[in-house]
Amino acid sequence: MATISAVILAAVSVVGWQWWHNHPPYGPEALAVTSSLRFVSYDEAEAALGEAAHAPVTYGRDQLVLGRVSWQTPPKPLDGGYFAVFLIDKRTNHKPEVFGVAAPQSAVGIGSAGIENRIAERYSWLRGAGDATFGDDEYRSNGNRLHVADEKAAPLTFVALFPYVEEPDPELPRATAPVAMSDLLLALVYMGEDGQVYWAQRLQG
């Protein structure tokens, strides 16, 4: 009887720890997030980023999208977790590769992470957050997102490049021009230190 009780207690403890471990410290409503997206010229992009960064260089019919995301100071620090800002072309579920960001690299990085495939698995509307899939077992990087390691990085200003490609190569998963504002999805995801997907909030699109 004592052995059975110990097993039950251990199982309950594991379930309780898992719930606590995966439970978000706060919800998106605590941040009161605001955002905006608009197309800009290279000169407008440079002015928006200021001296902190340079806008991606454009040629011909390339397009630049200026984004701003702002939030209130969270109730708790990120403590090893991070905010992921995704800009996705909903037509293809691809992300841009090149960004200009008005923030120090120590606060906001540019890249991708395999752990973020969990986002696509949990949220069907965020399939573009994960890698691009080819066949049953091939995964390829699908552009980049912004990795916000400092909760004080708001307001965050960025410029994304959509290079013009007349006939996109399906073997190269990246967001390209021409693109319309109605094609774009902007989202903020809160990731935990151990890769927990705490929550995702659709900001635009």
Side-chain angles (χ1 to χ4, degrees):
M1 186 68 178
T3 301
I4 295 176
S5 298
V7 170
I8 293 174
L9 180 60
V12 170
S13 298
V14 169
V15 171
W17 180 86
Q18 289 178 336
W19 178 89
W20 172 84
H21 187 63
N22 294 310
H23 188 70
Y26 50 84
E29 66 281 352
L31 301 182
V33 182
T34 60
S35 65
S36 65
L37 291 174
R38 67 185 179 96
F39 292 112
V40 292
S41 66
Y42 177 80
D43 289 340
E44 290 172 325
E46 281 281 279
L49 293 175
E51 298 180 357
H54 289 291
V57 176
T58 59
Y59 300 94
R61 288 185 277 179
D62 292 352
Q63 292 175 274
L64 294 176
V65 174
L66 170 65
R68 288 192 171 95
V69 182
S70 186
W71 57 86
Q72 296 179 355
T73 302
K76 296 182 179 180
L78 288 171
D79 284 339
Y82 64 95
F83 295 143
V85 178
F86 290 95
L87 181 62
I88 299 170
D89 184 339
K90 294 182 292 185
R91 299 170 301 173
T92 60
N93 286 317
H94 294 340
K95 302 183 290 286
E97 291 185 328
V98 180
F99 288 85
V101 185
Q105 290 185 357
S106 59
V108 181
I110 303 169
S112 61
I115 197 71
E116 290 164 359
N117 284 314
R118 295 180 180 179
I119 301 171
E121 293 169 359
R122 178 169 172 180
Y123 298 100
S124 60
W125 57 273
L126 263 177
R127 287 191 299 271
D131 293 333
T133 57
F134 294 84
D136 295 329
D137 56 4
E138 184 178 356
Y139 296 85
R140 298 181 190 174
S141 177
N142 178 27
N144 294 314
R145 51 79 181 112
L146 303 182
H147 175 288
V148 182
D150 184 352
E151 66 273 5
K152 299 177 183 177
L156 175 62
T157 299
F158 64 88
V159 175
L161 171 66
F162 289 77
Y164 177 80
V165 178
E166 188 167 345
E167 295 184 6
D169 185 346
E171 297 295 312
L172 296 175
R174 59 171 180 166
T176 59
V179 63
M181 193 57 64
S182 58
D183 298 326
L184 298 178
L185 166 67
L186 180 66
L188 179 71
V189 181
Y190 183 11
M191 298 290 292
E193 182 179 12
D194 295 323
Q196 309 98 308
V197 182
Y198 284 142
W199 47 256
Q201 183 177 17
R202 187 193 299 261
L203 304 179
Q204 305 272 331

